[in-house]
Amino acid sequence: MFSVIIPTLWKSKYIHTSISQLEEHPEVGEIILIDNSTEVKQLNNAKINHIREGINTYVNPAWNKGVRLAKYENLCILNDDLTFDTQILDWIKPYMDLGVIGMNVANYDKWRTEFNPIIEKMEGRDWGWGCLFFIKKDKWVNIPDDLLIACGDDWLLKHIDGYKISGLPIQYKQVSRTSILPEFFSLQLQDIKNFQKYK
């Protein structure tokens, strides 16, 4: 079974599609929704653990919290602004012990529709790698508190063997829809600066 962790500010409509698809999948034991908005949302489904933060705790702390709360050893960490073919949850289970497994940039080709996954060791992080990734709970390395928005996936790859999946069609309108907002630019720059000291 999988615990699926989704931080959100409700800026994307894709989140509703993703939640519906994940709720129906038998391999999804729970969806941990870290709600960083001030809006009041009512979600009624036994699989959803709706964590209402009431403030923006930011994505990397939300990942850390979601992992702490997860009931299942297999983790799927998902951006709220994309959907994917949930067949991957069945396919990836034999590979979960490898390390941390993210996406190949080619998966974001809007014309891609076939499900033909291939996994390979990574040399460098692809663009979009951390928008959807898989890891075992016991392999998680807590992301430092001074990395709020950016470099959380880089932190994981610094400590854990990284892999990428090709051949997984991903639907999206705009990846990282929330983090590209101007209000987050300075935080991202600070994260990048903070990450340098960990290299």
Side-chain angles (χ1 to χ4, degrees):
M1 300 288 278
F2 282 84
S3 292
V4 181
I5 299 164
I6 311 175
T8 189
L9 284 170
W10 301 104
K11 301 291 186 186
S12 170
K13 293 179 181 177
Y14 275 107
I15 188 170
H16 302 289
T17 303
S18 287
I19 288 172
S20 295
Q21 291 174 343
L22 290 164
E23 283 173 344
E24 293 171 6
H25 199 285
E27 287 297 323
V28 174
E30 65 175 344
I31 301 165
I32 302 172
L33 193 66
I34 308 290
D35 187 343
N36 281 333
S37 76
T38 55
E39 299 176 40
V40 177
K41 298 276 187 182
Q42 295 299 325
L43 299 171
N44 298 312
N45 185 285
K47 283 190 178 181
I48 296 177
N49 182 2
H50 187 184
I51 309 299
R52 296 177 183 89
E53 299 287 19
I55 58 168
N56 190 356
T57 62
Y58 303 106
V59 67
N60 293 331
W63 287 354
N64 284 337
K65 185 171 192 173
V67 172
R68 284 195 306 272
L69 294 173
K71 296 177 185 174
Y72 300 97
E73 185 63 18
N74 291 329
L75 306 179
C76 168
I77 298 183
L78 174 65
N79 275 21
D80 68 352
D81 53 8
L82 56 86
T83 61
F84 65 100
D85 190 328
T86 56
Q87 289 181 76
I88 198 71
L89 298 174
D90 303 295
W91 180 88
I92 201 170
K93 284 173 74 175
Y95 302 102
M96 289 295 295
D97 286 322
L98 288 175
V100 57
I101 307 163
M103 295 295 105
N104 184 314
V105 65
N107 296 341
Y108 297 94
D109 179 347
K110 291 183 181 180
W111 305 108
R112 181 182 294 280
T113 58
E114 72 280 2
F115 180 80
N116 186 27
I118 299 167
I119 194 166
E120 58 188 329
K121 186 86 167 65
M122 241 175 43
E123 297 303 322
R125 183 173 68 87
D126 277 14
W127 174 88
W129 181 91
C131 295
L132 167 61
F133 65 95
F134 304 88
I135 187 171
K136 287 275 195 181
K137 183 172 179 173
D138 64 4
K139 290 186 181 294
W140 185 262
V141 180
N142 214 51
I143 300 167
D145 293 338
D146 60 354
L147 302 178
L148 297 176
I149 296 173
C151 302
D153 48 3
D154 297 298
W155 172 263
L156 295 173
L157 289 168
K158 176 179 168 60
H159 294 89
I160 311 164
D161 286 340
Y163 291 80
K164 61 184 175 183
I165 298 170
S166 303
L168 176 65
I170 294 176
Q171 291 85 47
Y172 71 101
K173 186 169 184 181
Q174 188 175 48
V175 174
S176 302
R177 183 177 180 80
T178 302
S179 62
I180 64 165
L181 296 172
E183 63 206 81
F184 298 124
F185 285 169
S186 61
L187 280 176
Q188 289 190 68
L189 290 173
Q190 187 61 50
D191 284 345
I192 292 165
K193 182 178 177 182
N194 290 342
F195 183 67
Q196 298 305 313
K197 71 185 180 189
Y198 295 116
K199 287 191 170 181

